[in-house]
Structures are given as C-alpha cells and as structure tokens.
Amino acid sequence: MKNPSSTTPPLYDSIGAGYRDTRRPDPRLAALIGRALAGARTVVNVGAGTGSYEPADAAVTAVDPSRVMLDQHPGATKVRAAAEHLPFADGRFDAAMAVMTVHHWPDLEGGLRELRRVSRRQVVFTWDPEHRPELWMISDYLPQIRELEHARFTPLSTVAETLGAHTVLPFPIPHDFTDGFQIAHWRRPERFLDPVVRRASSTFAQLPADVVEPAIARLRADLASGAWSRRYGHLLARDSVDYGYRLLIAGGEPPGREDVESRPDA
C-alpha cells in the first residue's frame, strides 16, 4: 500500500469488516461498467472499497480513504487517499471509475474535477434522488432514509453537468441483484430482517437503533400477516425496476449504445 492518507471515514472503518460477504458484484452491472471501460489499459478506481466492478484486463490502482476497505481489496496497487486529493499526475490513467461512492465525498465538485484531471475517460455509477418511484422501505417503514439520502446524494443532473457526461445509461435493478446495497432487496423484503444485511448498507448504519428496530418490527409483522403482500405483491411479478440508478460516462469518444447498453428487462 502506497501513499497513505491521514483521512479515514469512520463509517466504513466500522461497517467495512466482512463487506465482501454481503456486497458481491452483480454480473449485469459488471458487464455494463466493463463495456464503458473497454479499451482502457490503466484504470484508477476511486472509492474502490473491496474492488467490485474493476476490469480484469486493465492495470487498476485502487484508491480509498478507509484502511479497513483497502485491507480487503485483492489488488496489488492500493493508495489510501481522498477523491478530492488524488496523488497522481495529470492524465495518468486511461480511465477513472467511481461506483456508488460520490455521495460520500465531502467535496463532490472537487472529487469529480480530480477524476477528470487524472484520467481521459470517467465512468461513474450513482443514484438520482429526484427519481420516482422510491423504495417501499422508505415510503412505508423508514421515511428517515429519505431525509438522509437526499442530504448526501446530489441530483443526477448536477453530477452529470459537473462531470461533463456525454452518456447517461439507466440500470434497472434486477430482482436477484447480488450487490447487497439497500435497493437490492426490493423484491426480497425478508432480507431486511437480517441485521447482517442491514449493516452492509451505509444508510442503515447511520440511523439509530431506536429508529430502525421499530420499523423492522413493523415489516416483520406485515410479512407475517400478509399486509406487505397485499400492498406490494405486484412487485413479485417484476424482473427489474428502475429506481433511479445511472451510469455516467464522460471524456473520450462517446460510445455507441451497442457497445455499452446492457439493461435487465424493465
């Protein structure tokens, strides 16, 4: 590990242990990101965590401010640093990637500016807080998530403009999505009853137990009584739902849709 940073976010140092067990890369999202990175020989993964979605055919430099996360990263080149202060020369990489991380950056504009400075192509996967519908967990059980998420996620239009994105691709979440962040369980409500699953979500990790536990108790009761199925049973027939997750591509030549598009059935 090279160039350690003195800045470590306590959130991921606390929830990061065992992260790879519940946050397994989904092959459909991996395919979409892989096509967006096609041809890049050198890639910097900013907010790399445990290395999900990194291309196997490129030399990857993993960057993360959390030592706990980097310790779980299998790569050989790991740098402890913040997105806003990348210790690399201008244009050092063919491409930069950032997957479900920009909402954690204290200075979003500064971090995106750094992505553009150190790479010739940028690929960012994030969520649009202005998108509807929202997850039933939020509307019916934990509306506190809405306030938290809207405080840390920037509207997609702003992120795309700041990044200079020329391509914005939707990614509807499949019902069997393997990467266990919050939205993954939209058709598997019983998964939210598992505290291990909840701990893998930074949202749940930031809410106090006296808020989360009563909500989970209500969900458990609704699953047992059939109330959840009466309200949301229609979701069980869906293969995927668009909840506002998007892949942004900037820099380089805009790819043809046949080169990058890989959407589960909406």
Side-chain angles (χ1 to χ4, degrees):
M1 188 178 301
K2 301 181 291 185
N3 300 327
S5 166
S6 60
T7 303
T8 304
L11 176 61
Y12 276 90
D13 277 354
S14 62
I15 75 170
Y19 199 75
R20 295 183 71 183
D21 296 333
T22 52
R23 298 294 296 270
R24 293 177 290 112
D26 185 89
R28 292 149 294 195
L29 179 55
L32 183 66
I33 293 172
R35 279 187 275 273
L37 292 169
R41 293 172 297 175
T42 56
V43 175
V44 59
N45 186 6
V46 180
T50 60
S52 296
Y53 306 109
E54 293 176 352
D57 58 351
V60 178
T61 297
V63 175
D64 202 287
S66 169
R67 186 180 301 278
V68 169
M69 299 304 289
L70 284 180
D71 283 348
Q72 298 178 77
H73 192 288
T77 306
K78 299 184 278 190
V79 177
R80 191 172 171 220
E84 300 87 348
H85 304 286
L86 298 177
F88 309 114
D90 295 358
R92 166 68 176 78
F93 301 95
D94 292 334
M97 60 184 292
V99 178
M100 287 304 291
T101 181
V102 299
H103 57 290
H104 292 301
W105 298 356
D107 179 3
L108 174 66
E109 183 176 351
L112 295 177
R113 185 168 57 245
E114 282 287 87
L115 290 191
R116 299 181 68 178
R117 181 183 67 79
V118 304
S119 66
R120 291 176 285 282
R121 188 191 324 166
Q122 301 81 42
V123 175
V124 173
F125 184 67
T126 188
W127 174 70
D128 185 5
E130 296 184 338
H131 182 85
R132 295 295 180 272
E134 65 181 1
L135 181 65
W136 52 263
M137 172 60 78
I138 299 172
S139 58
D140 284 18
Y141 297 95
L142 277 171
Q144 295 86 349
I145 290 177
R146 184 185 304 116
E147 181 178 354
L148 178 61
E149 296 286 60
H150 283 239
R152 62 181 186 161
F153 276 92
T154 300
L156 187 82
S157 58
T158 300
V159 179
E161 181 179 0
T162 303
L163 186 64
H166 51 65
T167 303
V168 179
L169 297 175
F171 183 76
I173 303 299
H175 72 92
D176 55 352
F177 193 60
T178 63
D179 195 342
F181 55 88
Q182 178 182 276
I183 202 68
H185 312 300
W186 61 268
R187 211 182 85 171
R188 296 169 287 179
E190 69 283 352
R191 296 287 288 157
F192 286 109
L193 305 182
D194 187 343
V196 174
V197 169
R198 297 198 302 273
R199 280 198 297 271
S201 166
S202 62
T203 302
F204 278 102
Q206 292 181 80
L207 291 173
D210 61 358
V211 170
V212 173
E213 292 303 330
I216 297 303
R218 291 196 302 274
L219 174 59
R220 181 179 288 106
D222 284 353
L223 289 173
S225 70
W228 186 92
S229 292
R230 287 191 291 274
R231 290 196 300 271
Y232 295 108
H234 64 279
L235 292 176
L236 301 179
R238 300 288 300 274
D239 289 330
S240 65
V241 175
D242 183 357
Y243 280 112
Y245 289 81
R246 299 292 184 265
L247 186 72
L248 309 179
I249 307 172
E253 292 295 325
R257 291 194 69 85
E258 67 277 5
D259 295 326
V260 296
E261 187 167 16
S262 177
R263 296 181 56 186
D265 293 336

